[in-house]
Structure formats: C-alpha cells, structure tokens
Amino acid sequence: GEDVEQSLFLSVREGDSSVINCTYTDSSSTYLYWYKQEPGAGLQLLTYIFSNMDMKQDQRLTVLLNKKDKHLSLRIADTQTGDSAIYFCAGDTDKLIFGTGTRLQVFP
Amino acid sequence: KAGVTQTPRYLIKTRGQQVTLSCSPISGHRSVSWYQQTPGQGLQFLFEYFSETQRNKGNFPGRFSGRQFSNSRSEMNVSTLELGDSALYLCASKPELADNEQFFGPGTRLTVL
C-alpha cells in the first residue's frame, strides 16, 4: 500500500521560511494535499496540487512536486508563531493517505 | 455556512463497552468519511459513505461500523471497545464523491479505560 513519510520535527525562527518535506511511494494520486492541525483541533486544508503540476503558489504557501523523486514540499514564507502546528501531507488514491506529520515550532 | 460538527467532543468508556459517534456534514455535502488518529498509527481511513451507502472501507476489524442517514448525517459505532481504540476520530465531508476537497470536523476524543 501507499507509504507517506515526513520528518517529525522542524523548528524555525519567526520571519524565516519553513520547508516541510514529504516522500511517497504510490504515484497514482490525482491530487496531493497539505493539512494543518492545531492542538485539540481537526484538520484544516491548506492547499493542494494536481499531480500533473510542478508548483503551486498560494499567498505565503508554495507547494513543489517532484514526481520523478516522489517528493512533495510545502514552503511557508515569513513564518509566524501562529503557524506552529502539525502539518500533514496526503495523497488520494481511493481515500486520503496521510503522512506521519511534521511538528513545526516557530520561536521568536 | 456551518462547518462539520461532531458529537460528542469527548467520551470516556471502559473496555467491552460500545460507543456511537455522530457527524453532521456541511450543508449540501453528501459524502462523509471517517478517520482514526492515534500517536502510534497516525491518521488512518475507516470508511466513506455516500447516499446512505458505504463506498469504501479501510483496514479495520468488523467491530468498527458506520451508517449514513438520508440527511447525510453519519454515525460510526465501535463495539467491544479495546484500549487500543482510544483515539481522535475525525469526520470529513465533501459535496460529491468525485470532489477532492474534504472538510474536517474537530473530532471526537475517545478514551477507553
């Protein structure tokens, strides 16, 4: 089955850029997603990219997709303390397959 | 438009009991999916319902079941609870099966003692 891996933890200074990485094994997903989860809350869809695209920019968020290497990344520009959360990448085969999650900590 | 609502938000049960969780999708959304989130296994798909029919099922034992009503509200049931069923259960809705954006509720935190 699909396997989606993420690094567990990322710490950045406020104002810097954050890059969260994700690797996956199954390339049959039509879309690839990034979700954010704050403590005690559900999942918030941040952005998604169609599988035939290489890049998508949405305000402070940039998604890069390297299909050859099966690598997806999320760049957050000008990271703020409010961006501290767990970030999940996900692919959709016939259901959402989530990565292990990356905890982003933003310090002043 | 109101978001996805889940009730109850928190629940404590003991081993062997059964539990029913409820999910009300966004108005107009006909597809409802359920996910289990645990520290050890992460986020795992349970099942998806559309038009009162289960359309897809994850790899969970038969103790986990669900249903959907004509108003698209969904319930999931877990029978003979085990300690390992302690988790955050998330519900997500989307307008149609073919739509790609799912909107998640806040979850129900189930603790099994």
Side-chain angles (χ1 to χ4, degrees):
Chain A
E2 170 79 285
D3 193 25
V4 184
E5 296 288 334
Q6 299 178 240
S7 51
L8 286 179
F9 191 76
L10 177 66
S11 181
V12 300
R13 188 180 299 277
E14 191 174 19
D16 286 351
S17 292
S18 309
V19 179
I20 303 170
N21 295 300
C22 172
T23 57
Y24 56 94
T25 56
D26 187 340
S27 54
S28 63
S29 293
T30 304
Y31 292 94
L32 292 142
Y33 305 84
W34 284 102
Y35 283 88
K36 176 183 180 183
Q37 186 176 38
E38 296 182 81
L43 298 172
Q44 175 193 354
L45 177 63
L46 290 176
T47 186
Y48 60 91
I49 187 168
F50 190 50
S51 58
N52 70 353
M53 295 172 63
D54 298 322
M55 186 183 88
K56 178 179 180 181
Q57 187 149 2
D58 186 357
Q59 298 180 21
R60 290 191 300 125
L61 305 178
T62 303
V63 179
L64 294 178
L65 175 60
N66 182 328
K67 291 182 286 295
K68 175 176 168 289
D69 294 338
K70 297 182 182 176
H71 183 264
L72 180 74
S73 68
L74 174 70
R75 178 177 179 270
I76 306 173
D78 187 25
T79 312
Q80 302 298 307
T81 54
D83 295 324
S84 294
I86 301 176
Y87 291 79
F88 293 92
C89 61
D92 67 346
T93 50
D94 58 345
K95 54 187 173 286
L96 282 178
I97 305 294
F98 287 91
T100 45
T102 300
R103 182 178 296 276
L104 173 65
Q105 183 177 38
V106 183
F107 57 93
Chain B
K1 194 184 267 191
V4 178
T5 57
Q6 293 186 245
T7 56
R9 290 293 313 277
Y10 301 91
L11 205 48
I12 299 175
K13 292 285 187 178
T14 55
R15 277 183 301 175
Q17 287 188 309
Q18 74 161 19
V19 67
T20 299
L21 311 181
S22 180
C23 171
S24 292
I26 292 171
S27 177
H29 286 197
R30 300 203 292 158
S31 165
V32 174
S33 295
W34 289 89
Y35 294 83
Q36 182 197 63
Q37 185 177 24
T38 60
Q41 299 299 315
L43 279 154
Q44 293 187 288
F45 172 77
L46 280 156
F47 23 65
E48 179 178 17
Y49 285 87
F50 181 82
S51 291
E52 302 177 64
T53 303
Q54 187 180 91
R55 300 297 176 141
N56 200 356
K57 189 178 188 305
N59 190 24
F60 279 82
R63 299 185 298 108
F64 291 80
S65 62
R67 60 178 176 167
Q68 186 181 36
F69 301 94
S70 58
N71 62 357
S72 295
R73 189 177 70 86
S74 177
E75 288 181 347
M76 67 162 281
N77 184 277
V78 189
S79 62
T80 321
L81 284 166
E82 300 176 1
L83 295 179
D85 297 333
S86 294
L88 181 67
Y89 290 88
L90 293 163
C91 165
S93 76
K94 60 184 180 179
E96 302 291 336
L97 272 180
D99 288 312
N100 67 301
E101 289 189 55
Q102 291 195 49
F103 298 86
F104 282 79
T108 294
R109 172 77 60 187
L110 171 64
T111 302
V112 182
L113 302 176

Short mmCIF file of all heavy atoms in Angstrom, two decimals, chain A residues 15 25 33 65 68 89 96 98 100-101 105 107:
data_model
loop_
_atom_site.label_atom_id
_atom_site.label_comp_id
_atom_site.label_asym_id
_atom_site.label_seq_id
_atom_site.Cartn_x
_atom_site.Cartn_y
_atom_site.Cartn_z
N GLY A 15 9.67 34.77 11.05
CA GLY A 15 10.13 35.59 9.94
C GLY A 15 10.91 34.82 8.89
O GLY A 15 11.01 35.25 7.74
N THR A 25 5.23 6.71 -1.89
CA THR A 25 5.62 5.56 -2.72
C THR A 25 4.67 5.35 -3.90
O THR A 25 5.09 4.89 -4.95
CB THR A 25 5.64 4.28 -1.87
OG1 THR A 25 4.36 4.11 -1.24
CG2 THR A 25 6.72 4.36 -0.81
N TYR A 33 -2.08 16.83 -1.03
CA TYR A 33 -2.62 17.85 -0.14
C TYR A 33 -1.66 18.17 1.00
O TYR A 33 -0.84 17.35 1.38
CB TYR A 33 -3.93 17.33 0.49
CG TYR A 33 -4.97 16.88 -0.49
CD1 TYR A 33 -4.94 15.60 -1.03
CD2 TYR A 33 -6.00 17.73 -0.86
CE1 TYR A 33 -5.91 15.18 -1.93
CE2 TYR A 33 -6.98 17.31 -1.75
CZ TYR A 33 -6.92 16.05 -2.28
OH TYR A 33 -7.88 15.63 -3.16
N LEU A 65 6.23 19.87 -6.33
CA LEU A 65 6.04 18.44 -6.54
C LEU A 65 7.08 17.92 -7.53
O LEU A 65 7.16 18.41 -8.67
CB LEU A 65 4.62 18.17 -7.07
CG LEU A 65 4.30 16.73 -7.44
CD1 LEU A 65 4.45 15.80 -6.25
CD2 LEU A 65 2.88 16.65 -8.02
N LYS A 68 9.22 12.59 -10.27
CA LYS A 68 10.27 11.60 -10.55
C LYS A 68 10.81 11.04 -9.23
O LYS A 68 10.97 9.82 -9.08
CB LYS A 68 11.39 12.25 -11.34
CG LYS A 68 12.60 11.37 -11.60
CD LYS A 68 13.61 12.09 -12.49
CE LYS A 68 14.95 11.37 -12.53
NZ LYS A 68 15.68 11.49 -11.27
N CYS A 89 1.04 15.87 4.98
CA CYS A 89 0.81 15.73 3.56
C CYS A 89 -0.11 14.52 3.36
O CYS A 89 -0.19 13.64 4.22
CB CYS A 89 2.11 15.56 2.78
SG CYS A 89 3.07 14.10 3.21
N LEU A 96 -7.93 9.23 1.31
CA LEU A 96 -6.77 10.02 1.71
C LEU A 96 -5.78 9.15 2.48
O LEU A 96 -6.16 8.48 3.44
CB LEU A 96 -7.19 11.20 2.58
CG LEU A 96 -7.79 12.41 1.86
CD1 LEU A 96 -8.20 13.47 2.88
CD2 LEU A 96 -6.82 12.99 0.86
N PHE A 98 -2.45 9.64 4.65
CA PHE A 98 -1.74 10.73 5.30
C PHE A 98 -0.31 10.34 5.63
O PHE A 98 0.00 9.18 5.92
CB PHE A 98 -2.44 11.13 6.60
CG PHE A 98 -3.71 11.88 6.38
CD1 PHE A 98 -4.92 11.23 6.28
CD2 PHE A 98 -3.69 13.27 6.28
CE1 PHE A 98 -6.10 11.94 6.08
CE2 PHE A 98 -4.86 13.98 6.09
CZ PHE A 98 -6.06 13.31 5.99
N THR A 100 3.07 10.99 8.17
CA THR A 100 3.22 10.82 9.61
C THR A 100 3.11 12.15 10.37
O THR A 100 2.97 12.15 11.58
CB THR A 100 4.58 10.18 9.91
OG1 THR A 100 5.58 10.84 9.12
CG2 THR A 100 4.57 8.71 9.52
N GLY A 101 3.17 13.25 9.66
CA GLY A 101 3.04 14.55 10.29
C GLY A 101 4.36 15.15 10.69
O GLY A 101 5.25 14.45 11.18
N GLN A 105 7.60 24.11 14.95
CA GLN A 105 7.66 25.02 16.09
C GLN A 105 8.31 26.31 15.64
O GLN A 105 9.40 26.29 15.05
CB GLN A 105 8.45 24.39 17.24
CG GLN A 105 8.49 25.24 18.47
CD GLN A 105 9.23 24.56 19.62
OE1 GLN A 105 10.23 23.89 19.41
NE2 GLN A 105 8.73 24.73 20.82
N PHE A 107 9.79 29.91 16.84
CA PHE A 107 10.22 30.64 18.03
C PHE A 107 10.56 32.08 17.67
O PHE A 107 10.99 32.37 16.55
CB PHE A 107 11.39 29.92 18.72
CG PHE A 107 12.58 29.71 17.84
CD1 PHE A 107 13.62 30.63 17.83
CD2 PHE A 107 12.69 28.58 17.04
CE1 PHE A 107 14.72 30.43 17.03
CE2 PHE A 107 13.79 28.37 16.25
CZ PHE A 107 14.82 29.29 16.24
#
